[in-house]
Amino acid sequence: MASATYNQEIAIIGAGISGMTIAHELAKKGYARITILEQEDRVGGKCHSIEYKSKTYEMGTLIGLPSYKHTQELMAEYGLTDKGPLLERGFFNQHGCKTSQIPLHQIEAFTEQFKRLPDVLRQYECLKEPGFLRLPEELCQPFADWCAAHDLTVIQQVYMHYFSTFGFGSVDEVPAAYVLKFLSFENLLSFIEITHMITWPQGANALIKRMADRIDDLRLTCSVQYMELGSDGRVRVDTNQGTFYFDHVIYTSSLYHARHLLSLSPAEQQLMEKVTYERFRVYAYRVEGIPELSGYIPDNMSSDRKGHMMAWYYRWTDEENTDLITVYVMENEEMTDQQMRETVEEELRKLGGTQIRLYMIKQWEHFPHVDSAALRAGFYDQLDQLQGKQHIYFAGEIMNFPTLENCIIYAKYLVNRFF
């Protein structure tokens, strides 16, 4: 590759893990003129750690899994440890009483299905590749239908516990490709066996902050308004901070919102309009008396229980007592903010909570994805055809599932493929 290529100016839209990893990988290849444009006043995206009484708590990305090799490699390069607070967990019913993850009468069926699961999943080696290109038809159907087809209805409950809790929606509706991309057999096993999780003592966004320190041209509160390829072969980017020109632009933010920022054909516009989100809330509460562990409430994970607490995270219990917990809730559009808050607080009381005080709330447009019909129609194959068109490329959560590991994997893939 000629030195003139390395001298090209490249803009990255979005300073989350995808954007930062792309900048990191481009710099390793020798690209020196990299600009990151971020509309918020901080880096990190959904890695949103807060500090309370000198301890970090997570309002976005919660944990990493032992299988997150790419994440751990980056952490090691930037001098970060994964030895954060221990993570204990338990399961509770709607009434606040402790229960088992799998009802006793289903243990035998669970054991049989779990033994078969690796053989079933071997059919889908394509999910180990970055992205969702050329998906087989059976992975386009809702995950619950996929489970029924393979007689894995008890295993489906276990998948639901870890898929829905983190704000990824209902397994009755979300296509199987997304669920299985996130919860590979290795990842599912990490949850079931309660292995050591990555819990970031300095917060989940510590890695991104350190990566940002190496960026020479990082512009915060810089909102992109429009992008198009000019007659000179460079991409003009209009922002609230002025107009810039780049040889290439890599867009890692919301693909749904990108339809207003790009010069698109009607078909391309329709493609991006297919993207949908889950509306997800993380509450931070000061509370006394709640069980000192991370608790799951499976009864509240179905679509008809939106607005109820699905789980809570009690962090730092292995070091000292703390009164701050984070609570995870799928938004219910038929409930007011006050109603959702009252519902959560009543559920905290059922768990033994007292002295309940709201500390803060974070609302997310979470888990960008498309439905089964769009997957069958080849959404990702069509999106892939737009890569590099007008010198604009796409990365970010929707391309390979919104976990740190999957975003890092796709970011590396994109750089190696096109640069």
Side-chain angles (χ1 to χ4, degrees):
M1 195 177 292
S3 58
T5 299
Y6 292 123
N7 201 41
Q8 290 179 333
E9 293 183 87
I10 300 175
I12 299 168
I13 313 300
I17 189 62
S18 295
M20 287 300 175
T21 303
I22 288 167
H24 175 86
E25 294 296 314
L26 287 172
K28 283 171 60 176
K29 285 200 166 191
Y31 290 89
R33 305 178 71 184
I34 301 168
T35 298
I36 298 184
L37 308 179
E38 168 58 51
Q39 67 177 352
E40 300 296 331
D41 60 1
R42 64 174 188 88
V43 299
K46 290 189 177 72
C47 287
H48 187 66
S49 308
I50 62 171
E51 191 170 294
Y52 172 77
K53 295 184 178 179
S54 301
K55 295 288 186 183
T56 56
Y57 295 82
E58 307 297 357
M59 297 300 294
T61 299
L62 181 59
I63 58 172
L65 301 180
S67 57
Y68 286 8
K69 306 305 181 188
H70 294 269
T71 304
Q72 292 181 71
E73 287 172 6
L74 274 178
M75 289 169 62
E77 185 168 346
Y78 284 86
L80 290 170
T81 176
D82 66 345
K83 304 297 184 183
L86 296 177
L87 182 64
E88 298 182 36
R89 62 127 199 248
F91 291 83
F92 295 77
N93 62 25
Q94 293 179 25
H95 307 292
C97 300
K98 199 161 188 179
T99 185
S100 58
Q101 182 175 10
I102 301 295
L104 289 177
H105 70 277
Q106 292 184 325
I107 292 295
E108 184 176 347
F110 169 80
T111 302
E112 185 276 325
Q113 291 177 23
F114 191 73
K115 286 181 179 178
R116 284 194 292 110
L117 185 60
D119 289 333
V120 174
L121 295 180
R122 278 191 202 99
Q123 304 173 55
Y124 310 112
E125 291 294 307
C126 62
L127 291 178
K128 295 181 180 180
E129 299 299 318
F132 294 100
L133 297 178
R134 296 173 290 280
L135 284 175
E137 167 71 21
E138 58 267 30
L139 293 182
C140 298
Q141 64 186 317
F143 182 68
D145 294 345
W146 179 87
C147 286
H150 291 279
D151 192 20
L152 296 171
T153 52
V154 178
I155 286 287
Q156 174 188 324
Q157 298 175 57
V158 180
Y159 273 94
M160 176 192 71
H161 297 161
Y162 307 115
F163 190 81
S164 297
T165 294
F166 298 115
F168 301 132
S170 169
V171 295
D172 294 329
E173 301 166 359
V174 175
Y178 292 115
V179 181
L180 297 175
K181 172 72 80 165
F182 170 42
L183 291 170
S184 64
F185 185 76
E186 185 177 13
N187 288 353
L188 185 67
L189 201 59
S190 294
F191 283 112
I192 292 174
E193 294 184 339
I194 323 180
T195 51
H196 172 73
M197 300 293 186
I198 304 172
T199 49
W200 298 288
Q202 299 173 41
N205 64 348
L207 173 60
I208 298 175
K209 286 181 178 179
R210 293 198 182 183
M211 297 175 83
D213 288 341
R214 295 190 186 178
I215 304 299
D216 290 331
D217 192 7
L218 169 62
R219 301 173 187 234
L220 300 179
T221 63
C222 186
S223 180
V224 175
Q225 297 165 344
Y226 195 70
M227 299 183 288
E228 68 175 355
L229 186 65
S231 58
D232 61 352
R234 305 191 80 204
V235 183
R236 191 188 84 233
V237 180
D238 297 330
T239 79
N240 64 324
Q241 296 184 11
T243 297
F244 306 101
Y245 295 87
F246 301 98
D247 296 293
H248 301 282
V249 171
I250 304 172
Y251 184 87
T252 72
S253 298
S254 164
L255 196 63
Y256 181 79
H257 297 304
R259 73 196 197 282
H260 299 304
L261 308 177
L262 301 167
S263 176
L264 300 172
S265 69
E268 293 165 350
Q269 184 89 10
Q270 291 173 9
L271 184 71
M272 294 195 179
E273 287 174 353
K274 292 179 181 178
V275 179
T276 188
Y277 295 85
E278 299 293 337
R279 299 195 178 276
F280 187 57
R281 296 187 177 201
V282 182
Y283 294 88
Y285 271 101
R286 297 178 65 184
V287 58
E288 303 285 349
I290 198 168
E292 296 182 2
L293 44 69
S294 292
Y296 297 82
I297 308 176
D299 292 345
N300 287 343
M301 295 178 187
S302 58
S303 295
D304 62 350
R305 296 290 288 178
K306 286 184 177 181
H308 291 262
M309 179 170 69
M310 295 186 295
W312 75 92
Y313 180 23
Y314 204 123
R315 191 166 158 90
W316 300 109
T317 56
D318 54 316
E319 291 197 7
E320 60 185 49
N321 290 332
T322 176
D323 63 348
L324 194 75
I325 64 166
T326 45
V327 173
Y328 304 90
V329 178
M330 292 298 297
E331 278 196 12
N332 186 330
E333 295 180 0
E334 297 180 0
M335 296 172 69
T336 66
D337 290 346
Q338 184 65 25
Q339 287 172 330
M340 275 190 277
R341 179 177 166 181
E342 289 173 353
T343 299
V344 168
E345 292 174 4
E346 176 59 28
E347 288 166 329
L348 289 173
R349 280 189 284 272
K350 289 179 181 178
L351 290 161
T354 61
Q355 305 294 318
I356 299 170
R357 291 159 290 174
L358 181 65
Y359 183 69
M360 70 174 290
I361 177 175
K362 188 67 183 178
Q363 296 172 255
W364 298 107
E365 276 192 341
H366 199 46
F367 179 38
H369 63 286
V370 297
D371 63 17
S372 292
L375 279 189
R376 291 191 183 98
F379 171 85
Y380 282 97
D381 298 285
Q382 296 170 59
L383 181 58
D384 192 65
Q385 293 173 17
L386 298 182
Q387 293 284 28
K389 187 177 180 180
Q390 300 188 58
H391 293 195
I392 298 172
Y393 303 82
F394 301 97
E397 294 181 318
I398 193 171
M399 304 305 292
N400 198 40
F401 200 83
T403 62
L404 278 180
E405 183 74 357
N406 283 312
C407 287
I408 291 169
I409 287 171
Y410 194 87
K412 290 183 174 183
Y413 164 76
L414 182 133
V415 170
N416 288 330
R417 178 181 175 189
F418 295 110
F419 297 87

